Amino acid sequence: MADPMAESFDAIVIGGGAVGTATLFQLTALGCRRVLLLDRGEIAGGTTARSSGCLRTHYSVPINVAVARASLAMFGRFAELLDDPAADAGLVRAGYLIMAPPGPASAAVRGSIAAQQAVGIEARLLDRAEALARHPWLHLDDIDAIGFEAEAGFADPYLTATSFARAARRRGAVVRTNMPVTGLLRDAGRVVGVETPQGPIQAGVVLAAANVWSREVAAWAGIDIPLEITAHQVFTLAAEQTYGPELPLLKDLASPAKLYMRASGGHLLVGGGHEGVVTQDPDLPDIATDPDALLDEAAQAAARLPAFAEGRLVRSWTGLYDTTPDWNPVLGPVPGVPGLHLAFGFSGHGFKLSPMIGRMLAQAMLGLPTDLPIQPYRLTRFAEGEPLVGAYGAGAVS
Ligand SMILES: Cc1cc2nc3c(=O)[nH]c(=O)nc-3n(C[C@H](O)[C@H](O)[C@H](O)COP(=O)(O)OP(=O)(O)OC[C@H]3O[C@@H](n4cnc5c(N)ncnc54)[C@H](O)[C@@H]3O)c2cc1C
Protein backbone atom coordinates (compact mmCIF):
# COMPACT_ATOMS: atom_id res chain seq x y z
CA MET A 1 0.00 0.00 0.00
CA ALA A 2 1.11 3.58 -0.66
CA ASP A 3 2.76 5.17 2.37
CA PRO A 4 1.52 8.78 2.80
CA MET A 5 4.82 9.66 4.55
CA ALA A 6 7.09 8.29 1.79
CA GLU A 7 9.05 10.52 -0.55
CA SER A 8 7.45 10.67 -3.99
CA PHE A 9 8.60 11.23 -7.61
CA ASP A 10 6.89 11.02 -11.00
CA ALA A 11 9.50 8.57 -12.27
CA ILE A 12 12.41 6.60 -10.82
CA VAL A 13 15.32 5.18 -12.81
CA ILE A 14 17.30 2.33 -11.22
CA GLY A 15 20.86 2.36 -12.58
CA GLY A 16 23.19 5.20 -13.57
CA GLY A 17 24.96 3.68 -16.56
CA ALA A 18 24.81 4.82 -20.19
CA VAL A 19 21.17 3.78 -20.47
CA GLY A 20 19.79 5.03 -17.14
CA THR A 21 21.45 8.46 -17.41
CA ALA A 22 20.31 8.97 -21.04
CA THR A 23 16.76 8.10 -19.97
CA LEU A 24 16.90 10.40 -16.95
CA PHE A 25 18.03 13.27 -19.17
CA GLN A 26 15.28 12.60 -21.71
CA LEU A 27 12.62 12.45 -18.99
CA THR A 28 13.64 15.98 -17.97
CA ALA A 29 13.84 17.09 -21.62
CA LEU A 30 10.27 15.89 -22.07
CA GLY A 31 9.21 18.09 -19.15
CA CYS A 32 9.10 15.46 -16.39
CA ARG A 33 11.21 17.15 -13.71
CA ARG A 34 10.25 15.22 -10.54
CA VAL A 35 12.55 12.36 -11.40
CA LEU A 36 15.03 10.36 -9.36
CA LEU A 37 17.95 8.15 -10.37
CA LEU A 38 19.34 5.69 -7.85
CA ASP A 39 22.58 3.80 -8.26
CA ARG A 40 24.09 1.47 -5.72
CA GLY A 41 27.54 2.61 -6.86
CA GLU A 42 28.71 5.63 -8.84
CA ILE A 43 27.44 7.07 -12.14
CA ALA A 44 28.99 5.07 -15.00
CA GLY A 45 30.62 2.72 -12.49
CA GLY A 46 28.94 -0.46 -13.83
CA THR A 47 29.53 -2.12 -17.19
CA THR A 48 29.65 1.32 -18.83
CA ALA A 49 33.04 1.84 -17.14
CA ARG A 50 34.47 -1.12 -19.10
CA SER A 51 33.01 -0.33 -22.50
CA SER A 52 35.18 0.07 -25.58
CA GLY A 53 32.95 2.92 -26.72
CA CYS A 54 32.72 1.90 -30.39
CA LEU A 55 30.00 3.58 -32.47
CA ARG A 56 28.60 2.40 -35.81
CA THR A 57 25.32 2.19 -37.63
CA HIS A 58 26.35 -1.01 -39.41
CA TYR A 59 23.74 -3.60 -38.41
CA SER A 60 21.66 -6.08 -40.36
CA VAL A 61 18.58 -5.68 -38.10
CA PRO A 62 16.77 -2.62 -39.53
CA ILE A 63 15.52 -1.17 -36.20
CA ASN A 64 19.08 -1.28 -34.85
CA VAL A 65 20.26 0.72 -37.88
CA ALA A 66 17.60 3.36 -37.17
CA VAL A 67 18.36 3.56 -33.43
CA ALA A 68 22.14 3.61 -33.98
CA ARG A 69 21.79 6.30 -36.62
CA ALA A 70 19.64 8.52 -34.39
CA SER A 71 22.07 7.94 -31.52
CA LEU A 72 25.10 8.82 -33.64
CA ALA A 73 23.38 12.06 -34.60
CA MET A 74 22.88 12.78 -30.88
CA PHE A 75 26.56 12.09 -30.15
CA GLY A 76 27.34 14.48 -33.00
CA ARG A 77 25.39 17.38 -31.49
CA PHE A 78 25.97 16.47 -27.86
CA ALA A 79 26.60 19.95 -26.45
CA GLU A 80 23.53 21.33 -28.22
CA LEU A 81 21.40 18.36 -27.12
CA LEU A 82 22.40 18.90 -23.50
CA ASP A 83 22.22 22.68 -23.87
CA ASP A 84 25.68 22.86 -22.31
CA PRO A 85 28.61 24.23 -24.37
CA ALA A 86 31.03 22.35 -22.08
CA ALA A 87 29.35 18.95 -22.61
CA ASP A 88 31.58 16.57 -24.55
CA ALA A 89 31.00 12.88 -25.33
CA GLY A 90 34.57 12.50 -26.58
CA LEU A 91 33.36 11.63 -30.08
CA VAL A 92 36.09 10.71 -32.60
CA ARG A 93 34.74 10.14 -36.12
CA ALA A 94 37.52 7.76 -37.14
CA GLY A 95 35.21 5.83 -39.50
CA TYR A 96 34.24 2.14 -39.30
CA LEU A 97 35.77 -0.45 -41.61
CA ILE A 98 34.27 -3.96 -41.58
CA MET A 99 36.05 -6.85 -43.33
CA ALA A 100 34.64 -10.26 -44.24
CA PRO A 101 36.10 -13.43 -45.79
CA PRO A 102 34.35 -15.05 -48.78
CA GLY A 103 31.04 -16.69 -47.85
CA PRO A 104 27.98 -15.74 -45.79
CA ALA A 105 29.75 -12.96 -43.84
CA SER A 106 30.75 -11.28 -47.10
CA ALA A 107 27.15 -11.46 -48.32
CA ALA A 108 25.97 -10.00 -44.98
CA VAL A 109 28.39 -7.05 -45.27
CA ARG A 110 27.28 -6.33 -48.85
CA GLY A 111 23.59 -6.60 -47.90
CA SER A 112 23.97 -4.39 -44.83
CA ILE A 113 25.85 -1.69 -46.75
CA ALA A 114 23.12 -1.70 -49.44
CA ALA A 115 20.43 -1.42 -46.73
CA GLN A 116 22.29 1.47 -45.08
CA GLN A 117 22.63 3.28 -48.40
CA ALA A 118 18.91 2.77 -49.04
CA VAL A 119 18.09 4.81 -45.92
CA GLY A 120 20.63 7.51 -46.78
CA ILE A 121 23.57 6.54 -44.55
CA GLU A 122 26.98 7.45 -45.94
CA ALA A 123 28.30 3.88 -46.21
CA ARG A 124 29.93 2.06 -49.12
CA LEU A 125 31.97 -0.93 -50.20
CA LEU A 126 35.71 -0.34 -50.66
CA ASP A 127 38.14 -2.26 -52.82
CA ARG A 128 41.47 -3.24 -51.25
CA ALA A 129 43.34 -0.23 -52.60
CA GLU A 130 40.71 2.14 -51.19
CA ALA A 131 40.82 0.34 -47.84
CA LEU A 132 44.62 0.57 -47.73
CA ALA A 133 44.45 4.26 -48.54
CA ARG A 134 42.37 4.69 -45.38
CA HIS A 135 44.35 2.20 -43.29
CA PRO A 136 47.85 1.39 -44.66
CA TRP A 137 48.63 -1.02 -41.79
CA LEU A 138 46.10 -3.66 -42.94
CA HIS A 139 46.81 -7.13 -44.33
CA LEU A 140 43.85 -7.89 -46.63
CA ASP A 141 44.79 -10.99 -48.67
CA ASP A 142 42.02 -13.18 -47.19
CA ILE A 143 39.30 -10.49 -47.32
CA ASP A 144 36.43 -10.56 -49.80
CA ALA A 145 34.13 -7.68 -48.77
CA ILE A 146 35.07 -4.38 -47.11
CA GLY A 147 32.40 -1.98 -45.89
CA PHE A 148 33.14 1.56 -44.74
CA GLU A 149 31.09 4.09 -42.82
CA ALA A 150 32.73 7.52 -42.61
CA GLU A 151 30.67 9.09 -39.80
CA ALA A 152 31.16 6.29 -37.25
CA GLY A 153 33.97 6.01 -34.72
CA PHE A 154 34.10 5.94 -30.93
CA ALA A 155 33.20 8.05 -27.91
CA ASP A 156 33.86 8.11 -24.18
CA PRO A 157 31.20 6.21 -22.19
CA TYR A 158 32.17 7.77 -18.83
CA LEU A 159 32.02 11.33 -20.19
CA THR A 160 28.73 10.59 -21.94
CA ALA A 161 26.94 9.13 -18.93
CA THR A 162 28.21 11.71 -16.43
CA SER A 163 27.27 14.53 -18.84
CA PHE A 164 23.73 13.17 -19.22
CA ALA A 165 23.41 12.92 -15.43
CA ARG A 166 24.70 16.47 -14.93
CA ALA A 167 22.36 17.88 -17.58
CA ALA A 168 19.40 16.08 -16.00
CA ARG A 169 20.35 17.46 -12.58
CA ARG A 170 20.44 20.98 -14.00
CA ARG A 171 16.85 20.42 -15.11
CA GLY A 172 15.79 19.37 -11.61
CA ALA A 173 16.41 15.61 -11.55
CA VAL A 174 17.69 14.12 -8.30
CA VAL A 175 20.62 11.70 -8.53
CA ARG A 176 21.54 9.55 -5.53
CA THR A 177 24.62 7.38 -5.77
CA ASN A 178 25.73 4.70 -3.31
CA MET A 179 22.02 4.06 -2.82
CA PRO A 180 20.91 0.51 -3.67
CA VAL A 181 17.33 -0.32 -4.53
CA THR A 182 16.45 -3.36 -2.43
CA GLY A 183 12.93 -4.09 -3.63
CA LEU A 184 9.88 -2.79 -5.47
CA LEU A 185 6.85 -1.19 -3.81
CA ARG A 186 3.67 -2.88 -5.03
CA ASP A 187 0.03 -1.84 -4.72
CA ALA A 188 -2.54 -4.32 -6.04
CA GLY A 189 0.02 -5.70 -8.50
CA ARG A 190 1.16 -2.29 -9.72
CA VAL A 191 4.73 -1.13 -9.11
CA VAL A 192 4.39 2.17 -7.25
CA GLY A 193 7.98 2.82 -6.17
CA VAL A 194 11.12 1.28 -4.75
CA GLU A 195 12.51 0.13 -1.42
CA THR A 196 15.87 1.46 -0.27
CA PRO A 197 17.87 1.12 2.97
CA GLN A 198 16.64 4.66 3.78
CA GLY A 199 13.01 3.74 3.32
CA PRO A 200 10.43 3.50 0.53
CA ILE A 201 10.23 6.02 -2.31
CA GLN A 202 7.05 6.25 -4.37
CA ALA A 203 6.89 6.81 -8.11
CA GLY A 204 4.34 6.86 -10.91
CA VAL A 205 6.62 4.69 -13.00
CA VAL A 206 9.89 2.82 -12.41
CA LEU A 207 12.55 1.88 -14.98
CA ALA A 208 15.10 -0.80 -14.15
CA ALA A 209 18.22 -0.05 -16.24
CA ALA A 210 20.31 -2.43 -14.16
CA ASN A 211 22.15 -4.34 -16.92
CA VAL A 212 23.73 -7.55 -15.56
CA TRP A 213 21.93 -6.98 -12.25
CA SER A 214 18.48 -6.99 -13.94
CA ARG A 215 17.55 -10.54 -12.91
CA GLU A 216 17.32 -9.46 -9.28
CA VAL A 217 14.94 -6.58 -10.09
CA ALA A 218 12.84 -8.82 -12.35
CA ALA A 219 12.61 -11.41 -9.57
CA TRP A 220 11.16 -8.75 -7.23
CA ALA A 221 8.39 -8.37 -9.85
CA GLY A 222 7.96 -12.14 -10.01
CA ILE A 223 9.29 -12.56 -13.54
CA ASP A 224 12.14 -14.52 -15.01
CA ILE A 225 13.99 -12.75 -17.82
CA PRO A 226 16.03 -14.22 -20.70
CA LEU A 227 19.42 -12.90 -19.63
CA GLU A 228 22.81 -14.58 -19.64
CA ILE A 229 25.86 -12.88 -18.17
CA THR A 230 28.98 -13.31 -20.28
CA ALA A 231 32.54 -12.15 -19.62
CA HIS A 232 34.57 -10.48 -22.40
CA GLN A 233 38.15 -9.28 -22.35
CA VAL A 234 39.65 -6.19 -23.91
CA PHE A 235 43.34 -5.29 -24.15
CA THR A 236 45.60 -2.68 -25.66
CA LEU A 237 48.84 -3.26 -27.55
CA ALA A 238 51.70 -0.90 -28.34
CA ALA A 239 53.66 -1.06 -31.61
CA GLU A 240 56.79 0.80 -32.69
CA GLN A 241 54.68 3.54 -34.28
CA THR A 242 51.82 5.45 -32.68
CA TYR A 243 48.42 4.02 -33.62
CA GLY A 244 46.38 7.19 -34.10
CA PRO A 245 42.68 8.09 -34.19
CA GLU A 246 42.94 8.93 -37.89
CA LEU A 247 42.89 5.15 -38.49
CA PRO A 248 39.36 3.75 -38.72
CA LEU A 249 37.73 1.45 -36.23
CA LEU A 250 38.08 -2.14 -37.52
CA LYS A 251 35.75 -5.12 -37.42
CA ASP A 252 37.41 -8.32 -38.58
CA LEU A 253 34.83 -11.01 -39.40
CA ALA A 254 37.61 -13.19 -40.84
CA SER A 255 39.36 -13.57 -37.47
CA PRO A 256 38.26 -16.57 -35.34
CA ALA A 257 37.37 -14.20 -32.45
CA LYS A 258 35.59 -11.72 -34.78
CA LEU A 259 37.84 -9.00 -33.37
CA TYR A 260 37.08 -5.30 -33.20
CA MET A 261 40.00 -2.87 -32.96
CA ARG A 262 40.48 0.84 -32.61
CA ALA A 263 42.96 3.49 -31.58
CA SER A 264 43.28 4.18 -27.86
CA GLY A 265 45.81 6.68 -26.58
CA GLY A 266 48.32 5.86 -29.35
CA HIS A 267 47.85 2.11 -28.82
CA LEU A 268 45.61 -0.53 -30.42
CA LEU A 269 42.54 -1.55 -28.41
CA VAL A 270 41.40 -5.10 -29.20
CA GLY A 271 38.19 -6.86 -28.17
CA GLY A 272 36.55 -10.13 -29.18
CA GLY A 273 33.15 -10.36 -30.85
CA HIS A 274 32.56 -13.97 -29.81
CA GLU A 275 30.07 -15.42 -27.33
CA GLY A 276 32.24 -14.86 -24.23
CA VAL A 277 32.41 -16.93 -21.06
CA VAL A 278 29.14 -17.51 -19.20
CA THR A 279 29.16 -16.54 -15.55
CA GLN A 280 26.39 -16.49 -12.95
CA ASP A 281 27.67 -13.68 -10.73
CA PRO A 282 27.18 -10.05 -11.80
CA ASP A 283 29.19 -8.94 -8.75
CA LEU A 284 32.44 -10.59 -9.68
CA PRO A 285 35.24 -8.39 -8.44
CA ASP A 286 37.97 -7.77 -10.99
CA ILE A 287 37.87 -10.81 -13.21
CA ALA A 288 41.37 -11.81 -14.30
CA THR A 289 41.90 -11.86 -18.04
CA ASP A 290 42.66 -15.27 -19.51
CA PRO A 291 46.33 -15.11 -20.66
CA ASP A 292 45.96 -17.91 -23.24
CA ALA A 293 42.90 -16.34 -24.84
CA LEU A 294 44.63 -12.95 -24.77
CA LEU A 295 47.73 -14.31 -26.54
CA ASP A 296 45.53 -16.01 -29.11
CA GLU A 297 43.58 -12.81 -29.81
CA ALA A 298 46.79 -10.77 -29.93
CA ALA A 299 48.07 -13.18 -32.60
CA GLN A 300 44.83 -12.71 -34.54
CA ALA A 301 45.22 -8.93 -34.30
CA ALA A 302 48.80 -9.22 -35.56
CA ALA A 303 47.64 -11.35 -38.51
CA ARG A 304 45.47 -8.42 -39.60
CA LEU A 305 47.93 -5.71 -38.54
CA PRO A 306 51.43 -7.19 -38.94
CA ALA A 307 52.96 -4.14 -37.23
CA PHE A 308 51.73 -5.71 -33.97
CA ALA A 309 53.60 -9.02 -34.46
CA GLU A 310 56.03 -7.75 -31.81
CA GLY A 311 53.34 -5.71 -30.04
CA ARG A 312 53.68 -5.04 -26.30
CA LEU A 313 50.71 -5.59 -23.99
CA VAL A 314 49.81 -2.30 -22.26
CA ARG A 315 46.53 -2.95 -20.43
CA SER A 316 43.83 -5.59 -20.21
CA TRP A 317 40.47 -5.83 -18.47
CA THR A 318 37.34 -7.96 -18.47
CA GLY A 319 33.77 -6.70 -18.56
CA LEU A 320 30.37 -8.35 -18.45
CA TYR A 321 27.69 -8.35 -21.16
CA ASP A 322 23.98 -8.68 -20.36
CA THR A 323 23.27 -11.07 -23.20
CA THR A 324 19.82 -12.07 -24.50
CA PRO A 325 19.11 -15.05 -26.81
CA ASP A 326 19.06 -12.79 -29.93
CA TRP A 327 21.82 -10.45 -28.69
CA ASN A 328 19.49 -7.45 -28.72
CA PRO A 329 18.04 -5.43 -25.86
CA VAL A 330 14.69 -5.79 -24.16
CA LEU A 331 13.02 -2.41 -23.71
CA GLY A 332 9.79 -1.04 -22.35
CA PRO A 333 6.83 -1.99 -20.16
CA VAL A 334 6.48 -5.42 -18.58
CA PRO A 335 3.22 -7.18 -19.49
CA GLY A 336 1.27 -7.97 -16.32
CA VAL A 337 3.38 -5.66 -14.12
CA PRO A 338 2.01 -2.15 -14.62
CA GLY A 339 4.30 0.64 -13.49
CA LEU A 340 7.52 -1.27 -14.29
CA HIS A 341 9.66 -0.78 -17.40
CA LEU A 342 12.83 -2.72 -18.17
CA ALA A 343 15.95 -1.99 -20.21
CA PHE A 344 18.45 -4.86 -20.28
CA GLY A 345 20.15 -7.22 -22.70
CA PHE A 346 22.45 -4.81 -24.50
CA SER A 347 24.69 -7.77 -25.36
CA GLY A 348 27.89 -5.75 -25.76
CA HIS A 349 26.55 -3.07 -28.11
CA GLY A 350 24.43 -0.83 -25.89
CA PHE A 351 26.60 2.27 -25.66
CA LYS A 352 26.20 3.21 -29.32
CA LEU A 353 22.40 2.82 -28.99
CA SER A 354 21.99 4.46 -25.59
CA PRO A 355 21.19 8.11 -26.49
CA MET A 356 18.19 7.20 -28.65
CA ILE A 357 17.16 4.32 -26.43
CA GLY A 358 17.05 6.80 -23.54
CA ARG A 359 14.67 8.92 -25.61
CA MET A 360 12.43 5.96 -26.47
CA LEU A 361 12.38 4.66 -22.89
CA ALA A 362 11.52 8.10 -21.48
CA GLN A 363 8.69 8.48 -23.97
CA ALA A 364 7.33 5.01 -23.18
CA MET A 365 7.50 5.70 -19.42
CA LEU A 366 5.47 8.88 -19.92
CA GLY A 367 2.90 7.12 -22.13
CA LEU A 368 3.97 9.15 -25.19
CA PRO A 369 4.45 7.81 -28.72
CA THR A 370 8.10 6.87 -29.23
CA ASP A 371 10.21 8.55 -31.96
CA LEU A 372 11.17 5.09 -33.26
CA PRO A 373 9.19 1.89 -32.64
CA ILE A 374 10.03 0.28 -29.29
CA GLN A 375 7.77 -2.70 -30.01
CA PRO A 376 10.47 -4.76 -31.82
CA TYR A 377 12.41 -4.79 -28.52
CA ARG A 378 9.47 -6.09 -26.43
CA LEU A 379 10.11 -8.74 -23.77
CA THR A 380 7.57 -11.13 -25.28
CA ARG A 381 9.28 -11.36 -28.70
CA PHE A 382 11.13 -14.56 -27.75
CA ALA A 383 7.97 -16.43 -26.73
CA GLU A 384 6.23 -15.03 -29.81
CA GLY A 385 8.93 -16.40 -32.11
CA GLU A 386 10.01 -12.95 -33.34
CA PRO A 387 13.61 -12.60 -32.18
CA LEU A 388 15.64 -9.73 -33.63
CA VAL A 389 18.07 -11.73 -35.73
CA GLY A 390 19.42 -10.45 -39.04
CA ALA A 391 21.93 -11.60 -41.63
CA TYR A 392 24.78 -11.90 -39.11
CA GLY A 393 22.79 -14.29 -36.88
CA ALA A 394 22.71 -13.94 -33.08
CA GLY A 395 25.82 -12.03 -32.02
CA ALA A 396 27.17 -8.60 -31.25
CA VAL A 397 27.21 -7.37 -34.89
CA SER A 398 23.49 -8.10 -35.07
C1 LIG B 1 34.10 -4.99 -22.24
C2 LIG B 1 32.92 -4.27 -22.86
C3 LIG B 1 33.07 -3.61 -24.08
C4 LIG B 1 31.98 -2.96 -24.65
N1 LIG B 1 32.17 -2.29 -25.82
C5 LIG B 1 31.13 -1.64 -26.40
C6 LIG B 1 31.32 -0.89 -27.58
O1 LIG B 1 32.42 -0.82 -28.11
N2 LIG B 1 30.24 -0.25 -28.12
C7 LIG B 1 29.00 -0.33 -27.56
O2 LIG B 1 28.05 0.22 -28.11
N3 LIG B 1 28.80 -1.01 -26.41
C8 LIG B 1 29.83 -1.67 -25.82
N4 LIG B 1 29.65 -2.35 -24.67
C9 LIG B 1 28.31 -2.41 -24.10
C10 LIG B 1 27.93 -1.12 -23.42
O3 LIG B 1 29.05 -0.58 -22.77
C11 LIG B 1 26.81 -1.41 -22.44
O4 LIG B 1 25.71 -2.00 -23.16
C12 LIG B 1 26.31 -0.15 -21.77
O5 LIG B 1 27.36 0.62 -21.24
C13 LIG B 1 25.38 -0.59 -20.66
O6 LIG B 1 24.87 0.50 -19.97
P1 LIG B 1 23.78 0.23 -18.85
O7 LIG B 1 23.33 1.53 -18.38
O8 LIG B 1 22.76 -0.75 -19.37
O9 LIG B 1 24.53 -0.62 -17.74
P2 LIG B 1 25.56 -0.28 -16.56
O10 LIG B 1 26.57 0.71 -16.96
O11 LIG B 1 26.06 -1.60 -16.05
O12 LIG B 1 24.64 0.40 -15.48
C14 LIG B 1 23.78 -0.33 -14.64
C15 LIG B 1 23.82 0.33 -13.29
O13 LIG B 1 22.82 -0.23 -12.47
C16 LIG B 1 23.27 -0.14 -11.15
N5 LIG B 1 22.45 -1.06 -10.36
C17 LIG B 1 22.30 -2.38 -10.53
N6 LIG B 1 21.46 -2.88 -9.62
C18 LIG B 1 21.08 -1.86 -8.84
C19 LIG B 1 20.22 -1.73 -7.71
N7 LIG B 1 19.59 -2.79 -7.18
N8 LIG B 1 20.06 -0.51 -7.15
C20 LIG B 1 20.69 0.58 -7.65
N9 LIG B 1 21.52 0.52 -8.71
C21 LIG B 1 21.71 -0.68 -9.30
C22 LIG B 1 24.74 -0.53 -11.25
O14 LIG B 1 25.47 -0.06 -10.13
C23 LIG B 1 25.14 0.13 -12.56
O15 LIG B 1 25.77 1.38 -12.37
C24 LIG B 1 30.72 -2.99 -24.03
C25 LIG B 1 30.57 -3.62 -22.78
C26 LIG B 1 31.66 -4.24 -22.20
C27 LIG B 1 31.48 -4.90 -20.87
Side-chain angles (χ1 to χ4, degrees), residues 14-20 38-42 44-55 179-182 209-213 216-217 220 232 234 260 317-322 343 346-353:
I14 306 171
V19 175
L38 297 165
D39 198 295
R40 60 184 204 158
E42 297 296 336
T47 65
T48 297
R50 289 165 185 252
S51 180
S52 303
C54 303
L55 309 179
M179 180 57 65
V181 171
T182 52
N211 203 276
V212 289
W213 298 272
E216 185 182 24
V217 183
W220 295 331
H232 300 258
V234 181
Y260 63 85
W317 66 94
T318 300
L320 300 177
Y321 290 3
D322 51 339
F346 293 94
S347 309
H349 58 107
F351 175 60
K352 63 179 66 59
L353 304 174

